[in-house]
Amino acid sequence: MGFVPTMGALHDGHLALVDEATRRGATLRVVSIFVNPLQFGVNEDFGRYPRTLEADVERCEARGVELIYSPPPERMYPPGFQTHVEVEQVTQRWEGKFRPTHFRGVTTVVTKLLLAAGPCIAVFGRKDYQQFKTLTRLVHDLDLPVEMVGMATVREPDGLALSSRNRYLSPGDRERALAISRGLRLAHDAYASGERSPTALSALVRESVAAEFDRIDYVESVHPETLEPLETASDAQTILVAAHVGTTRLIDNLQLGLDARP
């Protein structure tokens, strides 16, 4: 079974995950659609997060998905629910700092979904890089019968990473949002030319983002496995980005030397 957990509002990036499950030999493709209240903070966008179930079902059917699992919140979290799953070290920085309850919500719901699915190939997008590394750690530590697959970020032709939250962007903010992919391109090209300083590489991205975005949460070059910030030159680097444009918070990343040019 190939399993693709989502919060719905499906786009071509989600459907690429279904295609990857098929490519890896899955003969039963399952997509879950559940807007998980546990992973939203008090002042975040749970109430306005796009819910497009009918359109999502149509897109899944057209892609050959055999089963959609879309439980109501009271089935996932019945009255008296009080059990949570936490992954510690890899969640402390970056998203964990700016969204303190986020990962506990993600790891709890994904544990429940994977237990419901049983043995499977679970395919996730690496746009949520820290999330993928956290869930990979979860599966390893709990000995779940799951093959974890991380797919490279799917982008629009102009470089913008596909995201359900792109629907929030006004035309002007969408144009400004391209500053992230422009910065990642600069870092990609500098790395390809031999630059290995994490400070220099992340500065290229930060300068591009700062020129257009209203607020930056972080732009940092980190170790791709531990997600700890790098202080010395290294061949293995992942640049993580989170920033606000208008009312929308966007995240992105690039594995230098591995990911394609944004």
Side-chain angles (χ1 to χ4, degrees):
M1 185 174 79
F3 181 41
V4 178
T6 81
M7 290 207 301
L10 301 184
H11 50 65
D12 287 345
H14 294 115
L15 300 179
L17 306 181
V18 174
D19 294 344
E20 180 64 15
T22 304
R23 192 186 72 78
R24 288 175 177 264
T27 55
L28 174 66
R29 279 123 328 173
V30 179
V31 172
S32 66
I33 297 173
F34 179 66
V35 183
N36 176 32
L38 287 193
Q39 69 191 69
F40 289 80
V42 174
N43 296 314
E44 294 184 353
D45 58 339
F46 175 71
R48 68 174 182 137
Y49 194 86
R51 293 161 170 82
T52 58
L53 183 58
E54 185 174 337
D56 292 344
V57 170
E58 291 177 359
R59 300 200 76 182
C60 285
E61 289 177 342
R63 212 59 160 232
V65 172
E66 286 86 6
L67 178 65
I68 295 172
Y69 180 51
S70 184
E74 59 271 19
R75 181 177 179 87
M76 293 300 286
Y77 306 119
F81 185 86
Q82 55 187 289
T83 302
H84 299 86
V85 180
E86 294 193 67
V87 177
E88 295 177 337
Q89 187 172 340
V90 74
T91 64
Q92 294 307 302
R93 297 181 182 269
W94 321 126
E95 291 299 280
K97 175 183 176 181
F98 287 92
R99 305 179 70 190
T101 62
H102 173 68
F103 281 122
R104 188 174 84 155
V106 170
T107 49
T108 298
V109 75
V110 172
T111 299
K112 289 174 66 71
L113 291 170
L114 292 177
L115 290 172
C120 63
I121 301 167
V123 191
F124 294 85
R126 290 203 314 267
K127 183 182 77 70
D128 298 286
Y129 189 86
Q130 187 177 13
Q131 173 179 283
F132 178 68
K133 289 299 179 181
T134 298
L135 295 176
T136 299
R137 184 81 254 170
L138 166 75
V139 165
H140 178 273
D141 289 354
L142 297 184
D143 298 317
L144 298 180
V146 177
E147 177 185 344
M148 292 289 287
V149 175
M151 280 279 294
T153 302
V154 179
R155 299 180 181 276
E156 299 279 7
D158 58 9
L160 183 68
L162 291 181
S163 169
S164 299
R165 288 185 170 94
N166 289 348
R167 299 168 187 238
Y168 300 160
L169 296 170
S170 68
D173 287 343
R174 192 201 178 286
E175 183 64 29
R176 291 202 291 153
L178 296 177
I180 292 181
S181 56
R182 281 197 300 269
L184 293 174
R185 252 190 320 272
L186 290 172
H188 175 280
D189 293 348
Y191 182 93
S193 297
E195 180 62 74
R196 293 296 184 272
S197 164
T199 302
L201 291 165
S202 60
L204 292 171
V205 184
R206 178 176 288 275
E207 289 168 9
S208 178
V209 175
E212 297 290 347
F213 276 66
D214 300 304
R215 186 167 86 254
I216 293 175
D217 285 347
Y218 55 82
V219 175
E220 192 75 36
S221 188
V222 304
H223 187 284
E225 294 301 323
T226 67
L227 273 59
E228 291 296 308
L230 293 170
E231 298 180 355
T232 59
S234 173
D235 286 337
Q237 299 190 43
T238 297
I239 298 181
L240 304 178
V241 182
H244 301 253
V245 59
T247 60
T248 306
R249 184 179 187 269
L250 298 178
I251 63 171
D252 206 337
N253 69 84
L254 191 71
Q255 284 190 278
L256 295 170
L258 293 177
D259 287 342
R261 190 173 189 265

